[in-house]
Amino acid sequence: METGILNGHDLKKMLDSGLTRLTQRHKEVDALNVFPVPDGDTGTNMYLTLTSAVQEVSKARDMSSIGEVSEAAARGALMGARGNSGVILSQLLRGLAQGLKNMDKISGKVFAQGLEQGVKVAFKAIMKPVEGTILTVAREAAREAVRASKNNSTPVGILRAACLVGEETLNRTPEMLPILKEAGVVDAGGMGWLVILEGFLCGLEESRPGVPALRGDSDSSRAAALGKPEIDLRYPYCTEVLIQVKAPGTKDLREKLQKLGDSLMVVETAEFTRVHVHSAHPGDVLEVCLTYGTLKDVKVTNMIEQSAEAGSKQAMPGKPFGIISVAFGEGLEGIMKSLGADLIIPGGQTMNPSTRELVEAADKIESDTVVILPNNGNIIMTAAQVASLTDKQVRVIPTKTIPQGLAALLAVMPGTDLEKAVKSMTEAVEEVKTGEVTYAVRDTSIDGKNVEKGSIIGIFDDEIVQTGAEIPNTVLGLLEKMITPDNEVCTLYYGETISTGEAEKLFEILQDRFSHIEFELHYGGQPLYYYIISVE
C-alpha cells in the first residue's frame, strides 16, 4: 500500500477483516438486545448483511479500483440487508460508495469524507432518528475521522482516531437512551458498527488477515428444517365463504362451526362475515352459514389434492395483486396460505429475511402488483426497499406481529381491488392486540421490572407485563392485562415445544376464566415463543 493512499485491494482487505471481526463477535452483539428474549439478532443481521457485501466484492471486475469495490460492497449489502440494523449498515456502505464513486485511488482524507457521507445517507433513511443508536456512533466516529484527516493523518491514523471516539460514544449511549441504561447495555447496532470499523483498522495495520470460509446463507437450512405442514386427514376440505348477514353478531356461528372442523376464522365487516374453516363435510358448513344470510364467493378446496399438485406458480393468473407474508413455523405458514397469502417467506423473530429474498419473492408472484406483510417490526425497513429494486408495484402493510399479519389477511375480501384491500388491511392491523410468551435469556431490568434469566415472560405490544415460573400462569396473567370488556375473540397459536395436550388443557382453563370471550386454538409451530396471542 502506498503511504497515505488507498486502492480497491486495500478496501477489500478492510471489508474482509471487518467481516472476520464481526464473525467472531456478532453473538456478543446479539446479547445486547434490550429485551431479554432469545431472538436478539442485531449482530447476526449485520453479520449476514456484511457477508453479502463481501461476497459481491469478489465479483468486482476491477479489484484495484476503490470506487468499483465500494460500489460492489454497497450493492451486496443492499440486497443482503436483514433487519433494521442490516438496512442501516447497507446505507452506511452506500454513502461510502457515493463518496468514492469513479475513483481508483484515494487519500485518507477522501475516505474520511466517505464515512461522513455514509452517515448522511443512513440518517436520511430513518424517518425519526434517535440519539444513542448506531447512527450516533457512526456520526461521531466519522466526524473524528474528518478531523484527523485535516492533520494529514494516514488512513491508519484516521481509522484509529475514529475507533477511539466511536468506543467513547458507544459507552455513552446508555446516557442518551434511558432504556439502555435501565437494561445495563450499550446500543447493539452501535457496537456492531464499531466492531466493523475496528476490523477495517486491523485490515490496514496487518498483512491480509485470514478470512474464514463464509458460512452459507442459512435460508436453505431453514427451509429444509421447516418441512411441509401436515394436513389433518379428518378435515381435508378448506371451506371459505362470504355471508351477507341478516343481522350482526357471529358468536353462535362460531360455536356451531367449531363443532364441524378446525382452523376456524370468522371476521365481520360492515356488509359481510367471512368464514374460513377446515372440515370433513363442506356441505354442513354451508348449511350452517345459510341460516345467517346469503352466501357469496363460496370456495371449497381439497387440500390433499392441492398439496400434491402444488407447482411453481405463486398466484392465480389475473389476480389483481399477490400477497407475500413473512412467518416462521409450519402451522403459521399453513394458516397464512389458507387465508390467501401467495408466498410465505421463512422469517420473523428468529431470522429476518434479506432484501434479496423479498425481491426474488416479488418477482415470483404472477401479478404486476405485490403486497408485503413483514409481520415483524425489524423487517419493515427491509421490505420498504423492495419497491426500488423491482419493476412491480409494491405496497408494504406495516405489520409488526404475526397476529397483525393474520388480521390483515382476513380483512381482504375476494375480488377487492388494491386500494380498498390496502385500506382494509391497514385498518385491521390497528384493531388487534398482540401477546407473546417466551423466556428470558439474561437478568435485566426493563420498564421498572426486574427480570431473572430463565423466567417465563409475557409481552403485550412490545412491553413485558408479566413474568413467572410456569407457562400457563404467565399466559393467564398476560391475558388478564390484555383482555378488556369490549374484546370478543382471543386466538392462541402454540409453538413447536408445546404439546397439543398442554395447549388444550390451557385452552380449557382460559375458557373458564374468561367466559365472555370466544377462544380459538391453532398450532403455530413457531420456535422460541411458547404462545403468540391475538386479542380482538
Side-chain angles (χ1 to χ4, degrees):
M1 181 183 74
E2 295 179 53
T3 303
I5 299 297
L6 298 174
N7 60 28
H9 295 292
D10 298 319
L11 181 57
K12 185 179 187 305
K13 287 181 182 179
M14 294 161 66
L15 289 164
D16 287 346
S17 181
L19 179 58
T20 298
R21 198 167 183 86
L22 194 57
T23 300
Q24 297 165 346
R25 301 188 65 186
H26 71 277
K27 291 298 183 184
E28 183 181 342
V29 176
D30 283 345
L32 294 175
N33 189 20
V34 170
F35 258 37
V37 293
D39 58 4
D41 51 12
T42 297
T44 297
N45 283 339
M46 296 182 78
Y47 157 72
L48 292 172
T49 301
L50 189 57
T51 295
S52 181
V54 169
Q55 289 173 333
E56 191 68 22
V57 164
S58 67
K59 303 173 187 176
R61 290 173 298 176
D62 185 0
M63 203 67 74
S64 66
S65 167
I66 197 166
E68 187 159 336
V69 170
S70 65
E71 177 61 31
R75 183 169 58 250
L78 173 65
M79 296 303 292
R82 297 174 187 267
N84 296 340
S85 58
V87 171
I88 293 172
L89 173 57
S90 75
Q91 297 306 303
L92 289 168
L93 294 179
R94 177 185 170 209
L96 176 64
Q98 289 177 359
L100 309 184
K101 189 173 183 180
N102 298 325
M103 297 182 184
D104 290 329
K105 299 179 181 180
I106 62 168
S107 65
K109 181 177 182 180
V110 173
F111 183 75
Q113 292 170 343
L115 290 177
E116 194 169 52
Q117 177 63 17
V119 171
K120 291 178 182 178
V121 171
F123 263 92
K124 287 181 181 178
I126 306 299
M127 187 172 296
K128 294 180 180 179
V130 176
E131 290 297 325
T133 65
I134 180 176
L135 294 174
T136 306
V137 175
R139 182 190 63 209
E140 296 307 310
R143 284 178 176 174
E144 183 59 26
V146 171
R147 279 194 291 267
S149 71
K150 292 178 180 178
N151 298 323
N152 297 318
S153 181
T154 64
V156 168
I158 289 169
L159 273 171
R160 187 176 292 126
C163 288
L164 287 172
V165 169
E167 184 173 12
E168 292 172 0
T169 306
L170 178 66
N171 291 335
R172 288 190 288 109
T173 55
E175 302 303 322
M176 304 177 202
L177 273 179
I179 193 170
L180 296 176
K181 187 173 185 178
E182 185 182 17
V185 296
V186 296
D187 179 67
M191 180 176 177
W193 180 239
L194 180 61
V195 167
I196 293 170
L197 286 180
E198 290 172 345
F200 284 2
L201 176 60
C202 290
L204 288 182
E205 285 183 320
E206 304 169 1
S207 59
R208 176 172 179 175
V211 181
L214 296 177
R215 299 184 195 178
D217 193 296
S218 56
D219 299 335
S220 59
S221 59
R222 284 186 291 145
L226 284 174
K228 287 187 177 181
E230 294 183 4
I231 297 170
D232 190 334
L233 296 179
R234 295 175 301 166
Y235 307 120
Y237 295 100
C238 177
T239 307
E240 299 175 81
V241 61
L242 289 182
I243 309 173
Q244 190 163 11
V245 293
K246 301 172 184 176
T250 58
K251 185 171 182 178
D252 291 342
L253 174 62
R254 288 176 183 275
E255 292 176 351
K256 293 175 181 178
L257 292 178
Q258 280 177 339
K259 300 174 183 178
L260 299 178
D262 66 4
S263 296
L264 174 64
M265 301 274 182
V266 179
V267 61
E268 292 181 86
T269 68
E271 300 177 54
F272 298 98
T273 293
R274 179 180 177 183
V275 170
H276 167 281
V277 63
H278 296 172
S279 69
H281 301 286
D284 292 347
V285 172
L286 298 180
E287 286 290 339
V288 170
C289 292
L290 269 171
T291 63
Y292 287 82
T294 304
L295 306 189
K296 296 185 62 177
D297 295 316
V298 176
K299 180 181 177 184
V300 178
T301 304
N302 184 321
M303 294 184 291
I304 297 175
E305 289 184 1
Q306 184 184 54
S307 178
E309 296 172 359
S312 60
K313 293 184 179 180
Q314 304 299 340
M316 291 291 291
K319 187 176 179 180
F321 57 88
I323 301 176
I324 297 171
S325 190
V326 180
F328 212 164
E330 59 183 14
L332 292 173
E333 289 189 18
I335 292 170
M336 287 182 173
K337 285 180 180 178
S338 69
L339 292 178
D342 298 292
L343 193 59
I344 308 298
I345 302 299
Q349 286 103 331
T350 54
M351 175 64 76
N352 299 151
S354 67
T355 305
R356 179 181 285 106
E357 288 177 282
L358 293 176
V359 171
E360 290 175 350
D363 289 340
K364 288 180 182 178
I365 296 292
E366 289 194 354
S367 173
D368 293 331
T369 304
V370 177
V371 174
I372 301 178
L373 302 175
N375 304 332
N376 186 295
N378 205 30
I379 302 175
I380 293 174
M381 283 182 64
T382 308
Q385 297 189 114
V386 176
S388 64
L389 298 169
T390 179
D391 293 332
K392 297 188 177 184
Q393 181 184 7
V394 177
R395 302 292 289 273
V396 178
I397 308 298
T399 50
K400 295 181 179 180
T401 67
I402 291 293
Q404 288 183 352
L406 291 168
L409 287 169
L410 277 164
V412 181
M413 297 298 169
T416 304
D417 63 41
L418 176 66
E419 295 307 322
K420 187 173 181 179
V422 168
K423 183 175 184 293
S424 298
M425 295 169 94
T426 303
E427 291 174 350
V429 167
E430 297 172 355
E431 297 297 321
V432 66
K433 302 177 188 176
T434 296
E436 297 165 317
V437 178
T438 184
Y439 61 92
V441 295
R442 59 181 169 81
D443 293 340
T444 190
S445 176
I446 185 168
D447 297 326
K449 302 178 185 68
N450 292 321
V451 180
E452 296 182 0
K453 180 179 179 179
S455 62
I456 308 301
I457 55 178
I459 304 168
F460 174 20
D461 287 344
D462 290 332
E463 181 182 353
I464 296 177
V465 298
Q466 188 71 26
T467 61
E470 298 179 354
I471 295 172
N473 290 341
T474 303
V475 173
L476 185 62
L478 173 61
L479 286 179
E480 286 177 343
K481 295 178 174 65
M482 291 180 66
I483 292 175
T484 58
D486 59 334
N487 292 134
E488 298 177 353
V489 181
C490 176
T491 307
L492 290 86
Y493 304 91
Y494 60 98
E496 63 180 1
T497 61
I498 300 294
S499 70
T500 300
E502 289 174 310
E504 290 177 345
K505 184 176 180 180
L506 174 60
F507 184 73
E508 293 174 0
I509 293 172
L510 296 177
Q511 284 181 312
D512 290 339
R513 173 63 182 81
F514 303 96
S515 57
H516 69 291
I517 293 289
E518 279 294 319
F519 281 92
E520 297 177 7
L521 180 66
H522 302 285
Y523 173 61
Q526 68 276 2
L528 302 180
Y529 283 68
Y530 304 119
Y531 289 94
I532 295 175
I533 304 170
S534 169
V535 173
E536 300 175 73

